[in-house]
Amino acid sequence: MNKTKRFLAMALALVMIFALLPMPTASAASGKTWVSAWSTSPIDASLNDLGILDELAVPIGAVSNRMVIESTASGSQVRFVLSNEYSLVPMKIQACSVGRVIKSSTTDCVMNTLTARTVRVNGRSTFTIPAGKTVTTDPVTMKVTAGEKLCVNIYYNNVTAIRTIGLIGADSYIGIGNTTHSNKVIPIPLKYEADSGSYEITTTLKEMDVKASKGTETCVVFGDSTVASEIPRLLAAKLRANGINNVSVTQEAIKGNRLVADGVGNAAKLLGRAGVDRFTEDVLGQAGVTKVIVKLGVNDVVHPHCASKAGKAPYASLEDMIAGYQKLIDMAHAQGVEIYFCEVTPWKGYTRNVFGKGDDVQWTAEIDQLRVDINAWLSSDACPSDGYISLSGMSDPADPTQLIPSQTPDGIHHNADGQANFVSLIDVNLFK
């Protein structure tokens, strides 16, 4: 009897020990890992200074947002981060799906319905995102190849206002009714063209993760309108062309964003929070991030001198900027993430003619000295980053204080040729 009791006690102890041991996760068992393969920086679309949307009470009825995004990683499953972080009320998603793209243009957007998969949260196809929160969807089994485009569809009905939006990184359309499993949509493009680039309005969608092969990593491009373009996807394609298939490249850039100050003026919220304040969430919060490339600072130089921002945009000193960059470095290194800074490129000739309202700023050597001093520090041994990416090859050889004229639409932003040049100056050895 005593032997029996001792045996049962030993068996119970073993059961308890095994119960406390960490079990291998599905990812570890499969040798795969979740990495971010596409992202955008959500901003607050309330525009309260203009009184838009804050007072909007007319429900948005029975519409779908179809967003065409490009994956920069390959994998066997996908999942999405959906955001309602700037809303004051819960957001009910009536339906959501993902499928492969057949065609995307200004006149129609066609999805292969045979590939369409319902996206769920906690097993439910209709779900609610709490006010001020994000949700991560259940995994969807779908083989994805890096460079492939996917349709993400979200159906809304009787939503009072959509305040959490992105402004770059997708071809986005509004369709009437529930088109989450429809083949063709006669779309209303959500796009506005400006000298600073395209404003591509996406709703609720914040990030797409891919279940990728073990060892795959994410590199985030973090910055302002000078990288709010095709640069991340061009860089991802360059890496693949050089045999580097284990690095995805995502985008966390906001037009008008500053390093050490929030946006100001009528459209302040569209310019985002200061880079030092959004870095943790936008960069370090991404799945699988191991590297970040930062190009941020020119708006800290320019905005305080704009007529439209006079008395509103705080000036930044070199000491302020160094402290801001140091903060990014400390946050990245604390999480084991490598951080690389790009040269802040020249802007002579830029007048910030926003929405056709006329010249807002004029370049002077005195104003530009801060940019010169920033680059001197970023490229020096005093800067404890993991590397400096020189973009001097983008400067006009005849006048290094301005960009190559054929590569910029307005003196500060980069057109297609400028973006290609930008990416050509990034050494692939950073990723080996």
Side-chain angles (χ1 to χ4, degrees):
M1 185 70 176
N2 289 337
K3 288 183 179 179
T4 302
K5 287 182 177 179
R6 284 197 297 271
F7 175 78
L8 290 174
M10 184 178 295
L12 180 60
L14 288 172
V15 169
M16 293 178 68
I17 289 170
F18 280 112
L20 293 173
L21 289 175
M23 298 299 291
T25 63
S27 178
S30 65
K32 296 193 174 187
T33 186
W34 285 108
V35 298
S36 178
W38 176 92
S39 68
T40 192
S41 298
I43 52 90
D44 186 346
S46 63
L47 290 182
N48 64 334
D49 288 348
L50 296 178
I52 299 174
L53 290 189
D54 278 346
E55 304 300 325
L56 184 63
V58 178
I60 300 170
V63 297
S64 298
N65 187 191
R66 175 167 288 185
M67 295 161 279
V68 178
I69 63 176
E70 181 178 316
S71 177
T72 59
S74 300
S76 57
Q77 293 180 307
V78 296
R79 69 183 184 189
F80 302 93
V81 179
L82 303 178
S83 175
N84 191 35
E85 56 202 273
Y86 292 112
S87 180
L88 304 177
V89 296
M91 168 74 74
K92 187 172 184 179
I93 304 298
Q94 297 289 343
C96 183
S97 71
V98 59
R100 302 188 192 282
V101 177
I102 294 177
K103 180 182 179 182
S104 176
S105 71
T106 56
T107 56
D108 57 22
C109 184
V110 183
M111 178 178 69
N112 184 343
T113 55
L114 295 177
T115 67
R117 301 288 182 269
T118 297
V119 176
R120 306 174 189 272
V121 172
N122 296 325
R124 298 186 177 188
S125 58
T126 297
F127 51 88
T128 298
I129 309 174
K133 302 294 183 180
T134 64
V135 297
T136 300
T137 71
D138 302 341
V140 177
T141 299
M142 173 179 279
K143 186 176 180 180
V144 179
T145 303
E148 180 180 13
K149 292 188 175 182
L150 301 176
C151 280
V152 180
N153 309 278
I154 301 177
Y155 172 51
Y156 305 95
N157 192 13
N158 293 324
V159 173
T160 301
I162 299 173
R163 289 180 53 163
T164 306
I165 65 171
L167 291 177
I168 55 169
D171 290 330
S172 182
Y173 312 90
I174 287 291
I176 305 302
N178 183 354
T179 64
T180 56
H181 284 76
S182 298
N183 167 265
K184 187 173 181 178
V185 175
I186 306 299
I188 303 169
L190 293 177
K191 190 171 186 176
Y192 174 80
E193 295 287 353
D195 287 343
S196 59
S198 298
Y199 290 81
E200 301 144 349
I201 302 171
T202 59
T203 63
T204 308
L205 181 62
K206 180 176 183 176
E207 181 178 327
M208 179 180 76
D209 299 335
V210 168
K211 194 69 165 293
S213 299
K214 187 177 180 180
T216 305
E217 306 169 352
T218 297
C219 173
V220 182
V221 177
F222 180 74
D224 52 35
S225 58
T226 62
V227 287
S229 61
E230 289 301 303
I231 285 172
R233 288 166 288 281
L234 291 172
L235 176 57
K238 176 180 177 178
L239 297 182
R240 294 194 298 271
N242 282 271
I244 301 173
N245 297 304
N246 66 333
V247 179
S248 68
V249 184
T250 63
Q251 186 169 45
E252 292 293 330
I254 298 177
K255 292 177 171 69
N257 198 227
R258 293 183 61 178
L259 174 69
V260 297
D262 294 344
V264 299
N266 289 337
K269 292 183 179 180
L270 297 185
L271 308 181
R273 294 176 295 153
V276 293
D277 294 328
R278 67 184 185 90
F279 186 80
T280 296
E281 180 180 345
D282 285 1
V283 175
L284 302 182
Q286 289 205 33
V289 60
T290 60
K291 292 180 175 64
V292 56
I293 294 175
V294 178
K295 189 172 189 292
L296 187 61
V298 73
N299 291 317
D300 295 85
V301 175
V302 174
H303 281 188
H305 300 276
C306 294
S308 64
K309 298 178 181 293
K312 298 178 182 178
Y315 286 85
S317 66
L318 177 62
E319 291 72 25
D320 294 332
M321 298 299 290
I322 291 174
Y325 291 127
Q326 184 66 59
K327 187 173 181 180
L328 299 188
I329 294 168
D330 292 343
M331 288 188 287
H333 286 171
Q335 193 167 305
V337 172
E338 297 175 4
I339 183 168
Y340 299 87
F341 288 99
C342 292
E343 175 181 344
V344 181
T345 45
W347 59 282
K348 186 177 182 179
Y350 178 58
T351 62
R352 199 174 179 272
N353 183 359
V354 181
F355 303 123
K357 291 187 176 181
D359 295 351
D360 198 29
V361 68
Q362 294 290 335
W363 181 95
T364 68
E366 181 181 9
I367 295 173
D368 196 43
Q369 188 60 46
L370 177 58
R371 181 189 67 87
V372 174
D373 293 341
I374 287 170
N375 287 331
W377 185 80
L378 290 176
S379 61
S380 72
D381 292 337
C383 177
S385 68
D386 295 283
Y388 176 73
I389 299 172
S390 172
L391 298 176
S392 59
M394 302 191 74
S395 299
D396 184 356
D399 184 355
T401 63
Q402 67 180 21
L403 294 170
I404 297 172
S406 64
Q407 296 184 2
T408 177
D410 59 359
I412 197 171
H413 298 103
H414 315 304
N415 60 20
D417 289 341
Q419 292 168 42
N421 188 15
F422 187 118
V423 172
S424 75
L425 298 171
I426 300 176
D427 188 351
V428 296
N429 289 314
L430 294 179
F431 304 90
K432 292 181 178 179

